[in-house]
Amino acid sequence: MAWISDKATSNQLKEHSNNVRPNDLESLLGRQQAIEEKVKGSGRLRRFSTDIKLMFSLIRDYWNGRYRAIPWKSIAAVAGALLYVLNPLDLIPDLIFGFGLLDDAGVVALCLKLVESDLHRYAAWKEHQQATAKTPSDN
């Protein structure tokens, strides 16, 4: 029997995503290090560390206006998932040893599933930007 149902995970992600406003992104970016430290210290979340770094990169590029080829719904889902991870008193409080981060991992996994194609497009765009920056111009 699962400790947290798919429906409960979906409801938590939806609730957090629906409450995200554009100005919340700047605050979220300021908390990146705290979230990444929490992820590093958790066996349940550690496997998502690369994805979470990509999610923060996406939020940063969106916030700074460099990347806007993504629906707000996807940005809100990513931000909502990251804010959920930051909240220690969520569906299963993080203080419950061994189980407290199950819901966090479930919310992140669901978010990744929902925005997978948007993240792939962003990652390709980001890779292209980095390759273009390294290539000498043809002047």
Side-chain angles (χ1 to χ4, degrees), residues 5-63:
S5 71
D6 290 342
K7 184 175 181 176
T9 301
S10 179
N11 287 342
Q12 290 300 310
L13 179 58
K14 188 175 191 178
E15 180 181 325
H16 278 74
S17 298
N18 287 342
N19 291 325
V20 172
R21 301 292 171 253
N23 289 339
D24 296 331
L25 301 181
E26 184 176 26
S27 173
L28 176 62
L29 289 169
R31 296 173 169 178
Q32 180 175 356
Q33 185 174 353
I35 294 171
E36 287 182 354
E37 288 299 319
K38 184 175 181 179
V39 168
K40 277 188 220 175
S42 163
R44 305 248 187 238
L45 286 170
R46 192 174 309 124
R47 69 182 183 155
F48 296 111
S49 63
T50 301
D51 295 316
I52 287 174
K53 286 179 184 178
L54 181 63
M55 293 163 89
F56 269 112
S57 180
L58 168 64
I59 295 290
R60 180 167 281 101
D61 281 338
Y62 184 89
W63 175 251

Side-chain angles (χ1 to χ4, degrees), residues 9 42 44-45 47-48 84-85 100-112:
T9 301
S42 163
R44 305 248 187 238
L45 286 170
R47 69 182 183 155
F48 296 111
Y84 188 86
V85 168
L101 299 176
L102 281 174
D103 59 323
D104 296 39
V107 167
V108 170
L110 177 61
C111 177
L112 289 170

